[in-house]
Structure formats: C-alpha cells, structure tokens
Amino acid sequence: MILAANAAVGVITETNAEKALEELRAYQADVATVLRNGCFSILPATELVPGDIVEVGVGCKVPADMRMVEMLSHQLRVDQAILTGESCSVAKELDSTSAMNAVYQDKTNILFSGTVVVAGRARAVVIGVGSNTAMGSIRDAMLRTEDEATPLKKKLDEFGTFLAKVIAGICILVWVVNIGHFRDPSHGGFLRGAIHYFKVAVALAVAAIPEGLPAVVTTCLALGTKRMARLNAIVRSLPSVETLGCTTVICSDKTGTLTTNMMSVSKVCVVRSVHQRPITDEYSISGTTFAPDGFIYDASENQLEFPPQSPCLLHIAMCSALCNESTLQYNPDKKSYEKIGESTEVALRVLVEKVGLPGFDSMPSALNMLTKHERASYCNHYWENQFRKISVLDFSRDRKMMSVLCSRKQQEIMFSKGAPESVMARCTHILCNDDGSSVPLTMDIRNELEARFQRKRYPKVPSISIKTNARRPTKSFLC
C-alpha cells in the first residue's frame, strides 16, 4: 500500500509539474502583425524569423524577443511581470543600454516574448524566437535536471554505511564468542556447529536491518509533497520536499508580484469638511483581485450601503472611468477577470464597479444579477456614455499625470489623475465629502494634505482632479 501510494503521489505531482511547464506556452502569442512583401499582414507567430519587422500595440502579446526600431506613439510601456516580477509596467525606448552584463531590467530597448504591451505602439525587429528567447531559456532551465544527492540521501547513506559496519562487527563477535560451542554433539561436528552459528549471525544481521525505514521516509516525503501541492507548489520529485526542509535562508523578490501581478484600490482618502478636525477621512475597500466584488467601509469599519451617495466617492468613480485607457473583461474559459492595459488603471476600473451608480437604491446588489461578462464594466460603460471624450493627454514623466477633456451638456470638463504633488499644484478648490460643496484650497489645507501624503504614502497612488470650464474662469476640484 505504501509503494502504491508513493507511486500515485509521484505520478500526480510530476504530471502537475509538466502541466506548469506547458502553461508557459500560453504566454506565447498566437499571431503577429509582420511586414512581409512591403505591407503589414497578420501571420501565425510560429512563422516569425529573426529579421522580421513586427508592429505591436496596446493589448498585444509580444510574439518573440525583439529590438525596438520605431516608436509610433510618444511612449511605449510593457508589462513584463511574468519575466521579471516587476509590479509596474516598464517604459521602453529606442536607445540601447550602455550597462555591462545587462540583465532583463536594463534592456529597455528590448521587447521580450510573452510580455504584454499596456500603452503605446511601436515597431521592432525580431532577434530571437522559440528557445532562443528569454522565456524559452526559462523553459529550458526548468527541463534541465541535475542529479544531485540531497541532504537526506547523504545522511541515509552515511547511516547505512555506519549501520552495516556495526552489524557486521556484532555478527562476527557473536560467531567468534560461540566458537567453543562448535563441538557441541547436538550439531554433529565442528564444521556443522560453525555453519549453525554462522546462520545465527546472519539472521541477527537481517533482523537488525531497518527494512521499514525506506517506506517510512517515502511516506513522509509523499505526505509533504501532497501538502505542498495543495498550496499550488510545483513539485517535480519527492526529495524536493526534504531539500526545502533543510533550507535555512529564503531569498524572496521584493515586489511580491511574481504570480498574479494584480493590483487593487485598498484605501481612499477624502476631505470631510474644512470646518472640522481632522479634515480628512478614509475609506477601506475589500477585494484584492480584478473581480468587481468588494465592499466599501468607512473609518468605523461600517459598510456603506450606497457608496455613490458620497460626493467624493462618486466623483472619484467618475474620473476613474473616464481618465482611463485600460479594459476589464471576463474570460469564460479561464473563469476569471482579465486586464488589457496598466494594472493601476484596471484597479481604478474595478473601484468604479465597487462604488456603483447614483440614483439606484438597489445598487450595488442589483449589479449582482448581471452576467459576469456584463458586470465586468457595467458602471464604467455608464460613465463613458454620459460624457464625450474630446482629447486625451497621456501620462508622461514630466507632467506625472494623465488628463482627459470631455464634454457633457455643452460643458467642458477635464478629468486628471496622477501623482498627488502634480495634481494639487494645479488645483484651486477642494470638494468636501460631507455636503458636496467646493471650497477654496487654502495654504493651510494644502499643507495638511501634503503632510498626510508624506506621512502615509503609497507607491503609485494616483490623485484625481476635475476641471470644469463652462465659459467662465476655470476651477480645479481635488477629490
């Protein structure tokens, strides 16, 4: 039974490991826009060869390792978390790197196979396909296995050698001690007596050998493998569990996004009122994936029944839906929500869905009656239908913000999101959450808000502003 269980666990774990290797192929693009015979055409990615010119855009999966040759937009950003574990997208440029022994992060002019373009368009020349890509080298490294004795195997070998010597010594000692009984008449002679006590020594040696030790060790490793498999760990062989047990230092990646690269809005800071201290208030949002499932809680950890009734949350949802170039969609095959574009922008789209829509008392429970495909972007589509986009100014390192000019009922409104210091520098008024009024952004309020940003600063936290222009002096509201 132990051997059968060991075989079953071994087959299952190794099958899962092989499936994980095969899943790397899912990151390879199926088609590519290639320059052939003087014009661009869509061809299977397997037909790419080094030297081909390929065009990529937002949402495209890079079909091969390529070097950029032409920028078709003012910037190109690529999500290469699957390769490097970086939580944020990486800006690509045409200039080559001057670093010696450059790693993947240093090669800013290279598009790696399997990564996804989240912003911009560009053209690149293929420099590597198949196993000659960065992703292919990972697959080859996983397939190569080196037979090396594990610490447990070494200790078992040492124990076996020591036990064999001890047993051999005891057996010889037992045989020698009984030399005087070799001539016992019951044995029928000296030679027969010697053979009899030799059999006794051999029987003692067989009895001293722990036959159950290999079975016990195998069972323990199989149970450990099963536990690790339950935690979605890839285990190719049973001794891997024992090797992990002997590990004393674990070096982990600092970003912590080697697996999913999902982002979500966890806290929202709003200005409650300028007449009360403290002037700011904080909301917490549950849910850590791209699924639009979650609730909003106030500072007292009470769930908000109708989040759109909060003026600041309503305007944040409005700006997050409009000042956004990403897409959230449901994949029925994988039964999960997927993103096209920046992870930070998709996180804001998910926030819009969690906030819900104004004017519907049944929100957000009524949204749960929609299909998952409709639910993915229902609230975002509502806001996009309410406004007409006139112009988009993408995020840049100089402005540190993105702006979208929209119109509604003959009123032009500019929605902006970006770094807190960049947004606040352009704001003249601030929106109060208690009564929905806008008050001048005085120096005292500005200093208090900046102090809060410095005290509890989150990486890549966007601030949101709304500019209204209805043929009168412009006002900028900070939500």
Side-chain angles (χ1 to χ4, degrees), residues 34 83 218 244 290 393:
V34 192
L83 185 64
T218 301
L244 182 61
F290 290 147
L393 190 59

Side-chain angles (χ1 to χ4, degrees), residues 180-372:
H181 298 85
F182 288 178
R183 299 182 182 277
D184 194 307
S186 61
H187 300 310
F190 180 86
L191 182 61
R192 290 179 178 272
I195 294 175
H196 171 76
Y197 284 103
F198 177 75
K199 292 180 180 180
V200 171
V202 171
L204 180 62
V206 172
I209 296 175
E211 296 93 342
L213 180 60
V216 171
V217 172
T218 301
T219 304
C220 293
L221 293 178
L223 292 175
T225 302
K226 184 179 178 182
R227 252 182 103 185
M228 292 183 65
R230 194 181 297 120
L231 298 174
N232 298 324
I234 299 176
V235 182
R236 298 199 66 188
S237 59
L238 294 180
S240 301
V241 182
E242 171 268 323
T243 305
L244 182 61
C246 297
T247 302
T248 56
V249 178
I250 297 179
C251 302
S252 61
D253 185 80
K254 64 180 184 300
T255 60
T257 55
L258 291 174
T259 51
T260 61
N261 191 29
M262 289 186 179
M263 289 188 178
S264 62
V265 177
S266 60
K267 291 186 182 296
V268 175
C269 179
V270 300
V271 174
R272 188 174 51 176
S273 174
V274 295
H275 304 295
Q276 300 179 10
R277 297 292 175 178
I279 65 171
T280 59
D281 200 1
E282 196 173 84
Y283 292 103
S284 300
I285 296 94
S286 63
T288 58
T289 65
F290 290 147
D293 304 323
F295 301 98
I296 300 178
Y297 301 89
D298 58 18
S300 302
E301 297 186 356
N302 296 321
Q303 180 182 336
L304 299 185
E305 293 187 14
F306 308 113
Q309 292 181 353
S310 171
C312 287
L313 289 179
L314 178 64
H315 284 79
I316 285 177
M318 189 188 309
C319 185
S320 299
L322 296 170
C323 192
N324 205 312
E325 293 294 305
S326 64
T327 303
L328 178 65
Q329 60 188 14
Y330 181 75
N331 188 332
D333 297 330
K334 297 182 179 179
K335 296 182 179 180
S336 62
Y337 291 89
E338 296 180 342
K339 69 178 179 72
I340 298 178
E342 291 274 11
S343 297
T344 50
E345 292 198 337
V346 177
L348 292 176
R349 286 210 179 274
V350 175
L351 174 64
V352 177
E353 300 299 326
K354 293 177 181 179
V355 172
L357 299 176
F360 295 89
D361 293 338
S362 59
M363 290 289 178
S365 58
L367 296 174
N368 298 328
M369 301 177 64
L370 301 172
T371 63
K372 291 186 176 181

